[in-house]
Amino acid sequence: MDELIDSRLSGRTVVLAGATSAAGRAAARALHGAGARVIATGRSAEGLQPLADAGTEVFLADATSLDEMTVLAGQIGPVDAVVPLVGGWRGGGGLAGQSDEDFAALLPALEAVRATSRAFDTALRASGAGRFAIVSSTAVARPLAGGANYAAVKAASEAWTRAVAQGYAKSARDSGEQLRTASVVFRAKSLDPEVLAARLLMLWDTDATALNDRVFDLD
């Protein structure tokens, strides 16, 4: 663990937005244990309590709200990574079963990607090694009728994240500077929180130029 602290995470600030899930708790434990300052957000004080007990800084804030994420960005200072973790799944029933209610319930995942990337854009660009990462699904590559709502939201989230990556690259080119900020997608068929946590620790093992706009399969 000392090697991890010395070489990768020490002094870095990581925001886990919508972090009250098992994936959020696992990521917070791993990042905090490796020496990072971890900030977790959620809409439930009760859901955030286990994270606070484990040494994570917690903020009661809605990851899907640009206003609330912008306020948070102004409160916490420099940031080196942002990972929106709002998720959920609804599906089944073929195309006929893809209800508007289910689609609306899945949209917060996309809304969190949009809100967090926009609110923390300036901070991530200012970091010497900024990272923006989302969790997507292998369903994007092979969407099924019974999961069309879910796959569509994940595909839109990936498209937004890749647009973020292009923005980082263009900004670096326009300024004549080396690219130091990267936006990446992690795909999983069935998300293993510990696998995600381990992969987040590796975000700084690769230069931003090689990392930006990459899609990684967690399976």
Side-chain angles (χ1 to χ4, degrees):
M1 185 62 71
D2 288 341
E3 182 179 351
L4 288 177
I5 292 174
D6 291 343
S7 63
R8 296 192 286 186
L9 276 300
S10 181
R12 302 205 185 279
T13 298
V14 181
V15 176
L16 303 176
T20 56
S21 64
R25 293 190 295 272
R29 285 195 303 271
L31 290 162
H32 180 72
R37 176 195 180 197
V38 183
I39 295 169
T41 78
R43 294 186 298 176
S44 163
E46 182 179 0
L48 287 170
Q49 192 57 53
L51 293 161
D53 292 341
T56 300
E57 295 180 45
V58 299
F59 287 83
L60 200 62
D62 184 353
T64 71
S65 167
L66 176 60
D67 288 343
E68 293 189 29
M69 289 297 100
T70 300
V71 168
L72 178 65
Q75 289 177 330
I76 63 179
V79 171
D80 300 292
V82 176
V83 186
L85 291 169
V86 176
W89 186 87
R90 291 194 184 192
L95 289 182
Q98 303 302 290
S99 71
D100 290 347
E101 291 78 12
D102 285 346
F103 187 64
L106 293 167
L107 274 177
L110 171 60
E111 293 169 343
V113 171
R114 294 183 69 250
T116 54
S117 63
R118 295 171 69 194
F120 290 96
D121 184 62
T122 299
L124 290 175
R125 290 174 190 269
S127 168
R131 301 291 186 263
F132 182 76
I134 73 161
V135 179
S136 185
S137 170
T138 54
V140 173
R142 189 174 182 273
L144 304 177
N149 277 336
Y150 178 75
V153 169
K154 288 299 186 182
S157 296
E158 288 197 15
W160 185 275
T161 303
R162 296 194 67 190
V164 171
Q166 190 276 334
Y168 292 159
K170 183 178 186 301
S171 178
R173 287 196 306 271
D174 290 348
S175 63
E177 297 180 351
Q178 180 182 351
L179 179 64
R180 296 185 176 86
T181 309
S183 176
V184 303
V185 173
F186 293 123
R187 284 182 183 169
K189 181 176 182 180
S190 179
L191 182 62
D192 183 327
E194 298 300 332
V195 171
L196 172 64
R199 192 61 187 81
L200 291 176
L201 294 180
M202 299 169 64
L203 279 174
W204 292 274
D205 286 357
T206 305
D207 183 86
T209 303
L211 188 65
N212 195 40
D213 201 19
R214 293 282 302 278
V215 177
F216 297 97
D217 191 338
L218 294 180
D219 297 324

